[in-house]
Amino acid sequence: MSFKSAKTFFLSFFRELFVYHHTSLEFRAKLFAAMIATNKIDDIGEYKILKKIAKDIYEDDEYRVDVLVHTTKEYVNKIILNDSLDIDCLLLDIDKEIKKNKRFVEKINMDHLRRFYAFNGDEDTMLLQTRVLEFFENEIENRKKYLT
């Protein structure tokens, strides 16, 4: 394991202590995980897209990019392995976080999320991803009503 990998793992594991604004990063990871986990085909292409998006978000912070990717992978693995999380629970958790932290609605970037749409997916995947995108669009719309 390289030093960079070890540092990324360490920062990811202890992100609550060492990562500035870790709740924001974790929220974004959940958004991306919801889109990636809908596709049952585990493809590294989705993580390449995620890495590009993370670089767009955190331009000058390579470790923050890596922590976002690593955290997203953790959530995706929890969903795929049916460990302790499924898509419905994840979406409910996202909804609760938006209610608690009104500013999180601004973190939902539909253009970023659409990049995962039907990436090597089948018809069922496309339908599920459409529903997830609609959920996020409704969250944005509903929360903006409350803010105005």
Side-chain angles (χ1 to χ4, degrees):
M1 180 182 279
S2 69
F3 175 73
K4 182 180 175 188
S5 297
K7 185 173 181 180
T8 300
F9 178 78
F10 179 81
L11 288 174
S12 293
F13 192 75
F14 294 106
R15 61 184 165 264
E16 291 179 14
L17 298 172
F18 296 110
V19 177
Y20 181 69
H21 287 288
H22 72 89
T23 55
S24 174
L25 183 141
E26 193 137 346
F27 178 77
R28 282 189 167 120
K30 290 176 183 179
L31 295 172
F32 297 132
M35 287 301 292
I36 293 170
T38 57
N39 191 350
K40 300 298 181 203
I41 302 170
D42 188 23
D43 194 334
I44 60 168
E46 291 174 321
Y47 292 108
K48 288 180 183 177
I49 292 170
L50 177 61
K51 185 114 177 171
K52 287 178 187 176
I53 292 169
K55 286 180 181 179
D56 288 346
I57 296 169
Y58 305 117
E59 300 166 352
D60 300 325
D61 195 342
E62 182 181 339
Y63 286 108
R64 201 163 176 84
V65 167
D66 291 338
V67 170
L68 177 62
V69 171
H70 189 266
T71 305
T72 303
K73 284 181 181 180
E74 284 179 19
Y75 281 112
V76 170
N77 287 336
K78 284 182 180 181
I79 293 168
I80 290 174
L81 298 174
N82 202 12
D83 187 23
S84 60
L85 190 63
D86 63 15
I87 293 289
D88 294 332
C89 291
L90 182 61
L91 293 176
L92 286 172
D93 189 44
I94 289 169
D95 181 57
K96 287 177 188 175
E97 285 194 38
I98 291 172
K99 287 178 183 173
K100 281 196 310 190
N101 300 301
K102 307 285 188 226
R103 64 186 169 80
F104 280 0
V105 77
E106 298 167 9
K107 307 284 182 198
I108 304 173
N109 185 319
M110 295 305 294
D111 292 332
H112 287 165
L113 296 172
R114 284 187 188 102
R115 291 189 199 175
F116 298 104
Y117 184 71
F119 189 85
N120 288 339
D122 58 5
E123 192 173 319
D124 290 337
T125 298
M126 290 174 56
L127 181 63
L128 187 53
Q129 286 179 335
T130 300
R131 298 289 185 250
V132 170
L133 288 171
E134 288 172 351
F135 170 79
F136 292 141
E137 287 170 346
N138 287 331
E139 287 292 309
I140 292 169
E141 189 176 309
N142 290 336
R143 299 297 166 220
K144 287 188 178 181
K145 284 181 188 176
Y146 291 118
L147 294 175
T148 57

